[in-house]
Amino acid sequence: MTSLRVLVLRALGLGDLLAGVPALRALRRGFPDHEIVLAAPAGLAPVAEATGAVDRLLPASAPGRAVPRTLDWSGPPPDVAVDLHGNGPPSHRLLQALRPARLFAFAHPGTPEIEGPPWHRDEHERDRWCRLLAFYDVDADPADLRLPRPHTPSPAPGAVVLHPGAGAPARCWPVERYAAVASALRGRGLRVVATGGAGEDDLVARLAKEARLPDTDVFSGGLPFHRLSALVAGARAVVSGDTGVAHLAAAHAVPSVTLFGPVPPSHWGPPPHPRHIALWHGPEGDPHARRPDPALLRITPGEVLDALHRLPAPEEPAP
């Protein structure tokens, strides 16, 4: 195994990792003789493997979107350390403590010794990290985000997937509105399934009860990634808030309707394509609020149903 190593810090969630795929693939191409090590939560190891850009996952996490306190790094310092996690001293110092030969990071007054590019608040997440790498002469393509189709068969092929949960209450569209969408779709003869991550069982159960979904169409408890990926890849469409499942739909080129608020789609939305519709009324709000954002509440079930009607049919999987 090569002794040359690139350490990438992105110790965040599923959607964050998927938004970072273009940057990870750029590093894979830019450092073909290096081992690419990703510092991220252990549960994302299957996702990292699916990108084809990561050789090894180094388990690292912290509550919320905080920076991990330490990294369990062993051996010589990294040849390159890349901060894809944040834009300030906490993540910079964490990587600097490993004494990498080179550190790729955004500039910040708190770490003036780092001569990186400036951070732009109003920038799409995929573009942001690709711009960081371009500053260091690593070519990156923000559109390089597709994942290979999973080998696991879908547990509900052709279904419309509704995912009512999100990482914060501010981004959770009311469950009764999801139920109204589900009931209307089932009235048209479509199969509808509900999914939820860890800790979202009550939310999924409420949706299933109000929409009268059979037990076979309820996937709660946080599906293992290979099953969730297969479910999304084989879906007719995916409806969710601004959360990881929306990014997974984009990664599999599956038609999607994503409900935005308080964060605009210009920051975290799907790539521009007719198969992805982002609903957003604005203005921006507090992403950490404990209740659904007012901008999100402006989206009606009728709008979601209309958007679903306008979506193209899913792509046929490649042989």
Side-chain angles (χ1 to χ4, degrees):
M1 179 179 290
T2 179
S3 61
L4 302 172
R5 293 186 290 180
V6 175
L7 172 63
V8 185
L9 176 65
R10 193 158 178 82
L12 297 164
L14 172 62
D16 302 279
L17 178 50
L18 293 174
V21 166
L24 288 170
R25 290 201 173 130
L27 290 167
R28 174 77 285 162
R29 292 190 301 269
F31 296 92
D33 299 326
H34 290 59
E35 180 188 24
I36 308 294
V37 182
L38 175 66
L44 294 180
V47 192
E49 181 181 4
T51 69
V54 175
D55 297 305
R56 178 165 59 91
L57 187 134
L58 179 70
S61 61
R65 302 183 66 80
V67 176
R69 301 179 97 182
T70 61
L71 293 175
D72 189 19
W73 182 264
S74 60
D79 296 276
V80 182
V82 184
D83 187 356
L84 295 188
H85 188 102
N87 69 320
S91 53
H92 294 176
R93 299 296 188 209
L94 178 66
L95 293 174
Q96 285 177 321
L98 302 179
R99 301 188 180 279
R102 302 172 69 191
L103 173 59
F104 296 174
F106 281 106
H108 191 279
T111 48
E113 67 278 12
I114 297 176
E115 297 182 358
W119 175 276
H120 299 324
R121 179 185 176 276
D122 291 320
E123 184 173 30
H124 197 284
E125 188 74 0
R126 290 187 298 272
D127 297 335
R128 167 176 291 126
W129 303 113
C130 290
R131 180 173 63 85
L132 170 68
L133 296 184
F135 179 87
Y136 294 101
D137 297 320
V138 178
D139 291 332
D141 177 6
D144 186 12
L145 50 78
R146 295 281 293 270
L147 292 182
R149 194 172 182 88
H151 297 296
T152 304
S154 170
V160 177
V161 176
L162 303 186
H163 187 91
R171 291 185 276 122
C172 289
W173 200 49
V175 70
E176 61 270 16
R177 301 192 191 184
Y178 277 104
V181 170
S183 297
L185 294 175
R186 295 186 75 214
R188 299 175 188 174
L190 297 175
R191 185 179 182 184
V192 176
V193 303
T195 63
E200 296 176 347
D201 288 4
D202 289 347
L203 197 63
V204 176
R206 285 176 54 204
L207 169 55
K209 181 179 180 181
E210 292 195 29
R212 298 183 178 180
L213 299 180
D215 291 345
T216 53
D217 292 344
V218 179
F219 299 93
S220 56
L223 287 175
F225 177 72
H226 70 280
R227 289 199 76 206
L228 178 63
S229 185
L231 177 66
V232 169
R236 179 189 182 100
V238 173
V239 181
S240 75
D242 172 21
T243 190
V245 166
H247 292 275
L248 193 54
H252 285 311
V254 169
S256 65
V257 177
T258 308
L259 319 180
F260 279 89
V263 178
S266 59
H267 291 180
W268 282 92
H273 193 281
R275 66 172 164 259
H276 301 302
I277 296 177
L279 298 179
W280 159 253
H281 292 294
E284 290 187 46
D286 177 7
H288 308 294
R290 297 186 176 183
R291 60 184 63 186
D293 187 78
L296 187 63
L297 294 179
R298 293 189 181 97
I299 301 172
T300 66
E303 283 181 88
V304 175
L305 289 166
D306 178 67
L308 283 166
H309 181 71
R310 290 186 281 123
L311 288 176
E315 288 184 0
E316 287 296 323

